[in-house]
Amino acid sequence: MEHALPPVDLATLRNAFQGRWFTDPADMAPFLTDWRRQWHGTALAVVQPERTEDVAAVVRWCQHMRVAVVPQGGNTGLSGGSVPGLEGRCIVLSLKRLNRVRALDADNNTVTLEAGVTLQTAQEVAAEAGRLFALSLAAEGSCTVGGNLATNAGGVHVLRYGTARELCVGLEVVTAEGEVWHGLHGLRKDNTGYDLRDLYIGSEGTLGVITAAVFKLHPLAGAQAVALWSAPSATAATRVLHQALARCGAQLTAFELMNPLSIALVQRHMPGAAWPLREAAPWYVLMEVSTANETSCAQALEDVLGPAMEAGDCCEAVLSHNEGQFRALWAWRENISEAQGAEGRTIKHDISLPISRIDAFISMASDALARHYSALRLVVFGHLGDGNLHFNLSPPVDACTPTHATAFLALEPGVNTLVHDVVQAHGGSISAEHGLGVLRRDEAARRRDPVAHRLMLRLKTALDPHGLMNPGKVLPQA
Amino acid sequence: MEHALPPVDLATLRNAFQGRWFTDPADMAPFLTDWRRQWHGTALAVVQPERTEDVAAVVRWCQHMRVAVVPQGGNTGLSGGSVPGLEGRCIVLSLKRLNRVRALDADNNTVTLEAGVTLQTAQEVAAEAGRLFALSLAAEGSCTVGGNLATNAGGVHVLRYGTARELCVGLEVVTAEGEVWHGLHGLRKDNTGYDLRDLYIGSEGTLGVITAAVFKLHPLAGAQAVALWSAPSATAATRVLHQALARCGAQLTAFELMNPLSIALVQRHMPGAAWPLREAAPWYVLMEVSTANETSCAQALEDVLGPAMEAGDCCEAVLSHNEGQFRALWAWRENISEAQGAEGRTIKHDISLPISRIDAFISMASDALARHYSALRLVVFGHLGDGNLHFNLSPPVDACTPTHATAFLALEPGVNTLVHDVVQAHGGSISAEHGLGVLRRDEAARRRDPVAHRLMLRLKTALDPHGLMNPGKVLPQA
């Protein structure tokens, strides 16, 4: 049966958190605004516990006082899930200092990390042990593995290794009651009850606080190489994806699509690099293979692209032959988001589709945008191998200044509806890897299967009966 | 808000299920006993709906009448999860006739199957489309994909492709209220709310009824080969596993361990095959690689086993060079379960461990069994690559007849406790791929983290408030 834990006294709590309990507005400010500066909130305090028991104590105090808890990792989310709203009656629970590497078991290919470890640190720790921490995404220098799990983050290697969910085997969670679930096992197979792990993963702190996790590690690839190539159509690119999967299987580790405007923005805002293809084309692809050695990498790329060129599905290609070229070709893809940010505000869509519907979706959505929003510029890039596109819009070329931002952003609801209607008509999802947060909360609720929606509300009530865990995120407030 | 669905009248229901609503004891008998003949139950009726809406109608009627629902697939489970208890106030909902292939999208690498499709049919349908349905296990001729999901089944290719959970992207579920959740998308990435899918997967019909699912397909391997080899110790075998992972990565598709008694039982009960290794050894390994062609398969096996032989980690090895040899070598592993069954009753343990603890576990558990149950014979085999062992016991060599069965099975609780204590001491799980059913329900509850246990009870109450979905399975009844 449920039992109440002893409440925690505020003075005791403040005392326990000396130097890690902020109430000064200037100290709190960075924790109250998201990094895109779209959402601003207020809080009673920001607290940075260093141990799981301290997280539990804070949550118990909040429950006792009916104060909301807003868990926060690196605060790099794109959907506003990690900052509070304007109600003010909340504590921001920053997990940045809960950041120890608890264990690395190379012989089990697992690493146990506290929630506040940055993704980059996780990658480095694994590499030092001769292993690969396979999650990789743009914010890796500052995002945390706890935030990655809370949003079920994706990135550029999902095609081969899966999302954050698929890389996690065990969890430690502080529940809404401030109890600790010790579920930090390092097992590939465990069927001893309901899957609590996957329920907390992707729930954006609305059911409890992930404080630590066991992640799978993979062998380091012997060698890696990329090809940057151009395709006459998205259909052609998809055809080559299937040929690459058939030829390379799991050795195909990334397959990224980019439209010409994506590349043009990188050229404009990150000058210095020379675009290596001679002819313009409707689409560009960055394709990565990871194999035992450089010879087999080169062979794999050639085996895929040779026939694709003959079939007319690949127009022109360059291959990396060393680490420098590898990094330089990847940079074209990695810099798109930042380059688009430098072009003014962005209307983002983080959508996924069955791969078989990508081409039809792109045609239909682009046509509809051209009809109704002809001045907006479409920046399309993303993980074709996962069916996940960032189908973004930038302001008209002569309206990129801050003074135009308001007019541009006023278009956002209409543009979202247009794009997401086409996504839904093609069996897709309006949130692939950025989470719902507040940005997609209401729209996801409207578009969700009503039975699924009622089930989710019941799960929320079952695990957070007072509605104090990151309220207003993921689900509309009751 | 929740809304009540109209109740269904029994006469209407029977009429709708003409010829698929059994109440005759002889007709019902095969559905009331599990295939190991360990559990026997009673029921008001056995019903075989052919459409999801009919499943929903049956569940609505059961809810209205407060009659329990016991979903059943191929009834091949090993933990008693698919047969009713002795209370009698239940309907067995057999999903065998809900068995259409709804869609196969080769360009999205997905197939949509109803719950009653057999695993073998799923494999065949995929192969006809030039794709791999990657789940593979002994009961595949009669088990159903719905049952595979309900128990999160594993099998011999989890090392490469994951369990049933990791192969499933979308679900259709009839909830405990008899509503239909339409979640049959074919998306690799979808973060639009709580992960209902993984909550239903592995819940053994205790939260709702899985009626259909979308599964990932993989490219067919160009070629496959196996090596059967002997190892001087489990540590040596584990060392070679890591070298094989480093050399082959995802091309290593199975890594199975077998002790000498496993092989001896296959030789005794399935005569006709000649064991291909000359010297006896403490452990045998069956290792499978899947690559682009036969040459690279052979090369991969040699690259792993050559250095292993030099290091003394591999004593002797044979490799398959054609399909016949491939099948013949696999047969040694595939026939162990049946051979052990022919040796009298079996005390089974379906356990998993961190791979780094396998050797210590085997030593400690074997020693303890030798001290306390010296006459019993240990048959150890399983998926070393997943850390999953079937650590089974057979009766003494002179006590295998049915008359000795009672005395042997009386030892089961003590033997279970001994083995599972050692599993728990090494951070392992007492249920890896067979589910909890009734066999492991109470023991799992005793050994479960108490916070996790309370959370699971709340989830059960939230999704099945009247406790009518497969009662007495997974969790002890309230």
Side-chain angles (χ1 to χ4, degrees):
Chain A
M1 294 292 78
E2 313 276 335
H3 62 268
L5 287 162
V8 182
D9 168 63
L10 180 59
T12 314
L13 202 63
R14 278 192 193 217
N15 222 34
F17 286 93
Q18 220 153 20
R20 297 172 287 120
W21 178 284
F22 312 115
T23 50
D24 184 271
D27 291 340
M28 294 204 292
F31 301 91
L32 302 181
T33 298
D34 76 299
W35 85 273
R36 287 179 72 198
R37 308 204 163 280
Q38 292 211 354
W39 293 278
H40 313 276
T42 57
L44 299 175
V46 174
V47 58
Q48 292 200 313
E50 292 178 358
R51 302 176 313 152
T52 297
E53 309 90 86
D54 293 339
V55 174
V58 171
V59 173
R60 281 203 302 279
W61 181 83
C62 288
Q63 281 291 336
H64 183 64
M65 301 302 292
R66 296 287 185 267
V67 164
V69 182
V70 179
Q72 185 177 96
N75 196 13
T76 59
L78 296 170
S79 307
S82 61
V83 290
L86 290 167
E87 304 79 9
R89 201 171 156 74
C90 75
I91 298 281
V92 173
L93 183 66
S94 163
L95 296 152
K96 273 191 180 171
R97 291 171 73 159
L98 187 76
N99 63 354
R100 288 174 309 153
V101 176
R102 290 215 194 142
L104 190 149
D105 183 348
D107 285 342
N108 191 44
N109 279 319
T110 50
V111 62
T112 308
L113 303 172
E114 290 183 342
V117 171
T118 65
L119 177 50
Q120 190 175 321
T121 300
Q123 294 164 346
E124 289 166 0
V125 163
E128 279 165 29
R131 297 289 187 275
L132 174 71
F133 190 94
L135 200 66
S136 176
L137 45 90
E140 60 198 25
S142 45
C143 69
T144 63
V145 296
N148 297 149
L149 289 172
T151 54
N152 187 21
V156 292
H157 288 134
V158 173
L159 173 64
R160 164 66 184 97
Y161 300 102
T163 63
R165 181 187 304 288
E166 288 152 286
L167 293 170
C168 175
V169 290
L171 277 191
E172 180 187 86
V173 169
V174 170
T175 68
E177 272 75 27
E179 298 188 297
V180 183
W181 164 40
H182 299 280
L184 280 182
H185 67 72
L187 306 171
R188 260 61 176 182
K189 284 177 171 175
D190 174 40
N191 278 324
T192 49
Y194 300 144
D195 185 8
L196 299 174
R197 179 190 65 202
D198 288 311
L199 192 54
Y200 284 108
I201 293 174
S203 68
E204 304 187 36
T206 62
L207 302 175
V209 185
I210 294 172
T211 50
V214 185
F215 290 92
K216 292 180 201 168
L217 299 175
H218 286 87
L220 284 170
Q224 293 189 299
V226 288
L228 178 69
W229 52 275
S230 54
S233 67
T235 306
T238 308
R239 226 166 7 234
V240 179
L241 168 65
H242 286 291
Q243 283 145 7
L245 282 171
R247 163 62 179 82
C248 306
Q251 295 181 330
L252 183 71
T253 43
F255 199 98
E256 302 282 313
L257 188 71
M258 303 168 282
N259 78 343
L261 183 55
S262 308
I263 298 303
L265 295 183
V266 175
Q267 289 180 296
R268 178 176 316 157
H269 296 287
M270 276 129 201
W275 176 245
L277 300 181
R278 284 161 306 178
E279 304 285 334
W283 293 99
Y284 303 111
V285 175
L286 191 80
M287 176 169 88
E288 182 190 79
V289 294
S290 304
T291 72
N293 56 59
E294 283 167 25
T295 313
S296 55
C297 269
Q299 189 63 54
L301 292 176
E302 283 164 24
D303 285 355
V304 173
L305 291 177
M309 280 186 165
E310 275 179 43
D313 288 336
C314 166
C315 312
E316 191 186 352
V318 291
L319 276 54
S320 73
H321 296 289
N322 57 49
E323 174 72 18
Q325 293 171 356
F326 178 85
R327 293 261 49 99
L329 291 179
W330 257 117
W332 291 104
R333 167 65 184 84
E334 285 166 345
N335 287 326
I336 296 171
S337 235
E338 203 178 330
Q340 194 183 11
E343 192 73 4
R345 301 304 295 247
T346 302
I347 298 176
K348 289 179 187 276
H349 303 99
D350 167 40
I351 60 174
S352 69
L353 294 145
I355 294 168
S356 50
R357 311 294 289 275
I358 286 270
D359 192 40
F361 163 79
I362 291 176
S363 302
M364 194 181 288
S366 310
D367 289 354
L369 286 168
R371 268 199 310 278
H372 298 285
Y373 300 93
S374 59
L376 302 189
R377 293 174 299 154
L378 196 48
V379 178
V380 180
F381 60 100
H383 320 293
L384 184 63
D386 314 323
N388 176 199
L389 296 181
H390 302 305
F391 199 79
N392 295 351
L393 291 135
S394 280
V397 71
D398 52 357
C400 296
T401 64
T403 52
H404 295 90
T406 310
F408 174 66
L409 290 177
L411 303 177
E412 184 157 9
V415 171
N416 285 172
T417 300
L418 182 155
V419 171
H420 291 158
D421 281 351
V422 184
V423 168
Q424 200 161 4
H426 288 84
S429 165
I430 66 162
S431 181
E433 59 175 13
H434 295 170
L436 296 178
V438 289
L439 176 67
R440 295 285 177 248
R441 176 195 63 195
D442 295 339
E443 196 172 354
R446 275 197 305 277
R447 294 175 185 272
R448 189 177 286 136
D449 176 274
V451 173
H453 189 67
R454 287 195 293 272
L455 293 170
M456 289 183 196
L457 291 174
R458 285 204 228 169
L459 295 177
K460 172 75 173 172
T461 303
L463 298 191
D464 178 27
H466 301 295
L468 295 174
M469 301 307 301
N470 209 5
K473 316 294 162 56
V474 180
L475 293 177
Q477 264 179 291
Chain B
M1 296 286 81
E2 313 274 335
H3 61 267
L5 288 163
V8 182
D9 169 65
L10 180 59
T12 313
L13 202 61
R14 277 192 193 213
N15 224 33
F17 285 93
Q18 220 154 18
R20 296 171 286 121
W21 178 281
F22 311 116
T23 50
D24 182 89
D27 291 340
M28 293 204 294
F31 302 92
L32 302 180
T33 299
D34 76 298
W35 84 274
R36 286 178 73 200
R37 309 205 162 278
Q38 291 209 357
W39 293 277
H40 313 278
T42 58
L44 300 175
V46 174
V47 58
Q48 291 199 314
E50 291 179 358
R51 303 178 310 154
T52 296
E53 309 90 87
D54 292 339
V55 174
V58 171
V59 173
R60 282 203 301 279
W61 181 82
C62 287
Q63 282 291 337
H64 183 66
M65 300 302 291
R66 295 290 187 264
V67 165
V69 182
V70 179
Q72 187 179 94
N75 196 14
T76 60
L78 296 169
S79 306
S82 60
V83 289
L86 290 166
E87 304 80 8
R89 205 173 152 72
C90 75
I91 298 282
V92 173
L93 184 65
S94 164
L95 296 152
K96 274 190 180 172
R97 291 170 71 159
L98 188 76
N99 63 355
R100 288 175 309 156
V101 176
R102 289 213 197 146
L104 191 147
D105 183 348
D107 285 342
N108 191 43
N109 279 319
T110 49
V111 62
T112 307
L113 303 172
E114 291 183 342
V117 170
T118 66
L119 177 49
Q120 189 175 322
T121 300
Q123 294 163 347
E124 289 166 359
V125 163
E128 278 164 30
R131 297 290 187 272
L132 174 71
F133 190 94
L135 199 66
S136 175
L137 45 89
E140 60 198 25
S142 44
C143 69
T144 62
V145 296
N148 297 149
L149 289 171
T151 54
N152 186 20
V156 293
H157 288 135
V158 173
L159 173 64
R160 164 66 183 96
Y161 300 102
T163 63
R165 180 188 304 288
E166 288 153 284
L167 294 170
C168 176
V169 289
L171 276 190
E172 179 187 89
V173 169
V174 169
T175 69
E177 272 77 25
E179 297 188 298
V180 182
W181 165 40
H182 298 281
L184 281 183
H185 67 73
L187 306 171
R188 261 61 177 182
K189 285 176 166 174
D190 174 41
N191 279 325
T192 49
Y194 302 143
D195 184 9
L196 299 174
R197 178 190 66 201
D198 289 311
L199 192 53
Y200 284 108
I201 293 175
S203 69
E204 305 187 36
T206 63
L207 302 176
V209 186
I210 294 172
T211 49
V214 184
F215 290 92
K216 290 181 202 167
L217 298 175
H218 286 86
L220 284 169
Q224 294 189 297
V226 289
L228 179 68
W229 52 276
S230 54
S233 67
T235 307
T238 308
R239 223 162 16 229
V240 179
L241 168 65
H242 286 291
Q243 285 146 5
L245 282 171
R247 164 62 179 81
C248 306
Q251 296 181 328
L252 182 70
T253 42
F255 199 99
E256 301 283 313
L257 188 71
M258 303 168 280
N259 79 344
L261 183 54
S262 308
I263 298 302
L265 295 183
V266 176
Q267 290 181 294
R268 179 177 312 155
H269 296 287
M270 276 131 199
W275 175 246
L277 300 180
R278 283 161 307 178
E279 305 284 335
W283 293 99
Y284 303 110
V285 174
L286 190 81
M287 178 169 89
E288 182 190 81
V289 294
S290 305
T291 73
N293 57 58
E294 283 168 24
T295 313
S296 56
C297 270
Q299 191 62 53
L301 292 174
E302 283 164 23
D303 285 354
V304 174
L305 291 176
M309 279 187 166
E310 275 179 42
D313 287 339
C314 167
C315 312
E316 192 186 351
V318 292
L319 275 55
S320 73
H321 296 289
N322 56 48
E323 174 71 16
Q325 292 170 359
F326 177 86
R327 292 262 50 100
L329 291 179
W330 257 118
W332 292 103
R333 167 64 186 85
E334 284 168 345
N335 286 325
I336 297 172
S337 238
E338 202 178 331
Q340 194 182 12
E343 193 73 6
R345 301 306 294 247
T346 302
I347 297 175
K348 289 178 188 276
H349 303 99
D350 167 39
I351 60 174
S352 69
L353 294 146
I355 293 167
S356 50
R357 310 295 289 276
I358 287 269
D359 192 38
F361 163 80
I362 292 176
S363 300
M364 192 181 289
S366 309
D367 289 354
L369 285 169
R371 269 199 310 280
H372 298 285
Y373 300 92
S374 59
L376 302 189
R377 293 174 299 155
L378 196 47
V379 178
V380 181
F381 60 99
H383 320 293
L384 184 64
D386 314 323
N388 176 201
L389 295 181
H390 301 305
F391 199 79
N392 294 351
L393 292 134
S394 280
V397 70
D398 53 356
C400 295
T401 65
T403 53
H404 295 91
T406 310
F408 173 67
L409 290 177
L411 302 176
E412 183 157 8
V415 171
N416 285 171
T417 300
L418 183 156
V419 170
H420 291 159
D421 281 350
V422 183
V423 168
Q424 201 161 3
H426 287 84
S429 165
I430 66 163
S431 182
E433 59 174 12
H434 294 168
L436 297 178
V438 290
L439 176 69
R440 295 284 177 250
R441 176 195 62 196
D442 295 339
E443 196 172 354
R446 276 197 305 278
R447 294 176 186 272
R448 188 176 288 135
D449 176 273
V451 173
H453 189 66
R454 286 196 293 274
L455 293 170
M456 289 182 198
L457 291 175
R458 285 204 229 168
L459 295 177
K460 171 73 174 173
T461 304
L463 298 192
D464 178 26
H466 300 296
L468 295 175
M469 300 308 300
N470 211 4
K473 316 294 163 56
V474 180
L475 293 175
Q477 263 179 289

